[in-house]
Amino acid sequence: MLAAFTFNTAENLPIGLLDLISENLRVSPSAVGLLVTGYGVTVALASLPLVHVTRTVPRRHVLTGLLAALVVSSLVAALATSYWLLLAARLLTALAQALFWAVMGPVAVGLFAPEVRGRVVGALSVAGSLALVLGVPAGTWLGRRSDWQLPVALPAAPGLVCLVTVAVLLPTSRPEEEPAAYAHSPDVRRFGTVLAAGALSATGAFTGYTYLVKFLGDVSGFPPSRVSVLFVVFGVACLAGVSITGALLDRFPQSALSTAVVTQAVGMLGMYTVGTHQVAAAVFLVLMGGALGPVFMTTQNEMLRCAPGRTDMALAANSGFYNVGIAAGAALGGLVLPLADVRGTFLAGGLLTVGACVVLLGGRLLPGGPHSRSRGRLSADGLH
């Protein structure tokens, strides 16, 4: 859980520090946005190959190596004096995270019975969501009172704690023999539907979210001090959404995913429509935050339920597709920004999220869709 918090904080810090990095390194805000794009592209391309290469390596050794990479890359990023060195350090962190999410899930949920594994996924996601509640807002606050290098370096400390803990305490076992190595209700159609919907949702979310600081300042008119507070509000909403969804995930897995995607669409389109009014912007910001964490959490949970092969490969595929969406969203936002101002990024993101809703609906309605499975028993809400 601490590692999930640390990785998510390191991933999202450039969003809160966008203007500081831009000024210090003398690059455009769009170039700093590419730090998010490059991160997403690396995770997207590296997830499946890295899982395949390490498929026979005990997970204790893999996680130790990944946490060591997190520590080193955080320190290198903080010492970077050029944009390109910072980008290289970010890509090293991304390589570690590409494998981390695929490995961490089966290791953690394998300790528990299948009927409660949704709650385990929820607990891990709560830890990851705390990055938006504590990590990124604290980093943004600290960066504005010192410089951007200090918050970028801080993930090295908890990363080191996690490294030592995992190296000393995690048992060594063969990956294919772990209890959660294979899904209990494999379903090829559901697997494809979730991958596509997750990627579209991520593209939509990050088309706008990457430039959220600019939106809140330029469109909603919030002063910089209020923007930091709103980041905390956004993170609290994300944490609340993950906590509530996680508690219901075992009972309503498919409905949980659909609800999260619909909520994200409403939040983004609401920001575009009435985001010039500060109260309305805050309300729809809460809806966006309440959906962002649950979307990824529910797709990860579906991978553990419907993976047609090994769950680590399915989780890597999901993380890869989701990060393709992150990269595409950040890049699309960068293209829309000079053409239709920052409001246009939220319109584009909201429409893409509506597309994800259509994919999920089509997956339920098409003959031979998610309800045709190789084994298992169908309930009113999903596969069990």
Side-chain angles (χ1 to χ4, degrees), residues 206-227:
F206 281 83
T207 297
Y209 177 59
T210 304
Y211 303 97
L212 181 58
V213 170
K214 188 173 180 60
F215 184 98
L216 294 174
D218 293 357
V219 177
S220 302
F222 288 104
S225 59
R226 292 279 185 87
V227 171

Side-chain angles (χ1 to χ4, degrees), residues 186-190 363 366-375 378 383:
D187 185 331
V188 174
R189 177 60 67 84
R190 179 64 181 170
L366 284 176
H371 301 295
S372 62
R373 64 221 185 272
S374 57
R375 59 192 171 110
L378 185 65
L383 300 169

Side-chain angles (χ1 to χ4, degrees), residues 255-344:
S255 295
L257 174 56
S258 301
T259 300
V261 175
V262 169
T263 303
Q264 178 180 301
V266 172
M268 298 200 73
L269 293 176
M271 290 286 282
Y272 165 75
T273 304
V274 293
T276 53
H277 303 283
Q278 291 188 350
V279 173
V283 170
F284 286 108
L285 182 71
V286 167
L287 288 180
M288 279 184 59
L292 186 62
V295 169
F296 184 67
M297 177 185 71
T298 51
T299 59
Q300 290 288 84
N301 185 61
E302 285 292 283
M303 294 297 104
L304 292 166
R305 297 174 64 252
C306 70
R310 268 179 50 167
T311 53
D312 55 1
M313 294 295 290
L315 289 168
N318 186 57
S319 180
F321 271 70
Y322 192 87
N323 279 278
V324 164
I326 291 176
L332 178 60
L335 293 174
V336 171
L337 193 59
L339 298 176
D341 71 44
V342 72
R343 282 186 71 211

Side-chain angles (χ1 to χ4, degrees), residues 122-123 125-134 232-246 289-290 293-294:
S125 296
V126 165
S129 298
L130 280 172
L132 297 176
V133 179
L134 298 176
V232 176
V233 171
F234 184 92
V236 169
C238 183
L239 179 62
V242 166
S243 301
I244 295 169
T245 305

Side-chain angles (χ1 to χ4, degrees), residues 101-281:
W101 284 109
V103 170
M104 180 265 295
V107 170
V109 302
L111 301 172
F112 299 86
E115 58 269 19
V116 297
R117 287 177 180 173
R119 274 178 278 173
V120 179
V121 174
L124 295 170
S125 296
V126 165
S129 298
L130 280 172
L132 297 176
V133 179
L134 298 176
V136 176
T140 302
W141 179 86
L142 184 61
R144 294 187 184 283
R145 282 156 181 78
S146 55
D147 52 46
W148 63 267
Q149 288 91 345
L150 181 58
V152 167
L154 286 180
L160 184 60
V161 172
C162 295
L163 187 160
V164 173
T165 303
V166 167
V168 173
L169 298 179
L170 190 68
T172 302
S173 60
R174 293 169 60 88
E176 67 273 13
E177 295 175 353
E178 293 177 354
Y182 296 93
H184 59 86
S185 300
D187 185 331
V188 174
R189 177 60 67 84
R190 179 64 181 170
F191 175 76
T193 299
V194 172
L195 283 182
L200 272 174
S201 296
T203 304
F206 281 83
T207 297
Y209 177 59
T210 304
Y211 303 97
L212 181 58
V213 170
K214 188 173 180 60
F215 184 98
L216 294 174
D218 293 357
V219 177
S220 302
F222 288 104
S225 59
R226 292 279 185 87
V227 171
S228 296
V229 173
L230 287 169
F231 258 95
V232 176
V233 171
F234 184 92
V236 169
C238 183
L239 179 62
V242 166
S243 301
I244 295 169
T245 305
L248 302 172
L249 201 50
D250 291 306
R251 295 177 59 192
F252 309 108
Q254 293 190 31
S255 295
L257 174 56
S258 301
T259 300
V261 175
V262 169
T263 303
Q264 178 180 301
V266 172
M268 298 200 73
L269 293 176
M271 290 286 282
Y272 165 75
T273 304
V274 293
T276 53
H277 303 283
Q278 291 188 350
V279 173

